[in-house]
Amino acid sequence: MPLLDPLVTTLESLAAERGGVLGVLPRLVTEDSPEWTRAPELVCEPYGPLLSLVDETAARWGAPRHVAAALLWKTYSYWHTLPMALGWALGRRVPLMRFADTVVRSSDAGVTVAAVKVTVAVLPDDPLAGAPGTKVADHLGTAIKDALLDGQEPVITALGALTKVGARTLWGSTAEAFVHPLMRSGTYGQAAALLKEIGEPVDGLVVPHETGYRRRTCCLWITLPDAAPCSTCCVV
């Protein structure tokens, strides 16, 4: 999809920096195949595929299941959110992976997410507004919020049902998933403006601190034995 070329280039560069370990396909789209699990399968009781990912995370870090659920979500939400954050920053073209079209698999990045089809939210004055594959949105924050409620809330609800980890804790990881990449090349003010535009459930879960930011929720990493706190931890 040519209108996402700047985003694809950025994700490819990020993958190269990380030795190829990236939790989202740089081109976002993949063919549906048995190596992928459709996201809706994660939230179907008794949650077998989701539980497998949680237990895999628990084994990786020696974590109790509720902590593993929070850490899995920190990974999942980051890679699912990253294309939206970068697309917004690079040119106000936001890729939307509908929950029904999203696929996930275990990987060296924890999980890798992709989609069998992507729609790109653009503003009315975008030169490519109305082109195939675009969705014209008066407010990109609203489009992103809708994407979060469609694509992330069902998994958050399922993780809560499985492990009792709180939704606010998990949405805090999503909020940070917007702020962290935007501050690599921008400012906290830019990231905060996007969170405010999105509104609930992510606005207010990250606050400025010194030259960076802090979360208002804990990702639970600090509860692991001998774990150093995250630099954005609200506990210390």
Side-chain angles (χ1 to χ4, degrees):
M1 190 176 288
L3 73 168
L4 288 180
D5 284 349
L7 172 62
V8 171
T9 298
T10 299
L11 290 174
E12 288 175 339
S13 296
L14 184 57
E17 289 176 20
R18 296 172 55 90
V21 179
L22 199 71
V24 61
L25 297 188
R27 294 191 174 276
L28 305 184
V29 177
T30 186
E31 295 289 333
D32 194 6
S33 69
E35 69 178 301
W36 296 97
T37 298
R38 286 271 191 162
E41 295 177 33
L42 299 176
V43 302
C44 292
E45 295 186 46
Y47 308 119
L50 182 60
L51 188 56
S52 293
L53 291 174
V54 171
D55 287 345
E56 195 174 281
T57 305
R60 182 180 298 119
W61 301 114
R65 187 172 276 177
H66 73 288
V67 175
L71 296 179
L72 169 65
W73 182 250
K74 189 174 185 179
T75 301
Y76 186 112
S77 65
Y78 186 82
W79 299 122
H80 183 266
T81 301
L82 181 65
M84 292 188 283
L86 293 180
W88 179 86
L90 290 169
R92 301 301 191 264
R93 292 174 176 175
V94 179
L96 307 174
M97 295 186 281
R98 291 180 60 247
F99 190 58
D101 298 326
T102 301
V103 292
V104 60
R105 67 185 181 199
S106 177
S107 72
D108 291 341
V111 294
T112 294
V113 297
V116 297
K117 182 172 62 175
V118 170
T119 300
V120 182
V122 299
L123 292 169
D125 61 354
D126 190 297
L128 292 179
T134 64
K135 171 186 176 181
V136 179
D138 290 332
H139 303 285
L140 291 179
T142 301
I144 294 172
K145 176 175 180 171
D146 290 345
L148 295 179
L149 295 179
D150 170 67
Q152 295 193 14
E153 188 172 48
V155 186
I156 285 177
T157 300
L159 286 171
L162 271 176
T163 67
K164 308 305 180 188
V165 66
R168 189 170 185 270
T169 292
L170 302 184
W171 281 121
S173 289
T174 298
E176 186 173 27
F178 283 105
V179 177
H180 179 265
L182 291 182
M183 287 190 65
R184 281 172 56 98
S185 58
T187 66
Y188 175 80
Q190 180 189 34
L194 176 56
L195 291 182
K196 186 173 183 61
E197 187 179 346
I198 296 168
E200 293 183 352
V202 293
D203 187 30
L205 296 183
V206 174
V207 294
H209 177 72
E210 297 178 350
T211 59
Y213 66 91
R214 274 194 171 168
R215 293 173 52 136
R216 281 187 158 169
T217 64
C218 180
C219 71
L220 304 186
W221 170 261
I222 197 174
T223 66
L224 299 180
D226 303 319
C230 304
S231 62
T232 60
C233 186
C234 62
V235 176
V236 295

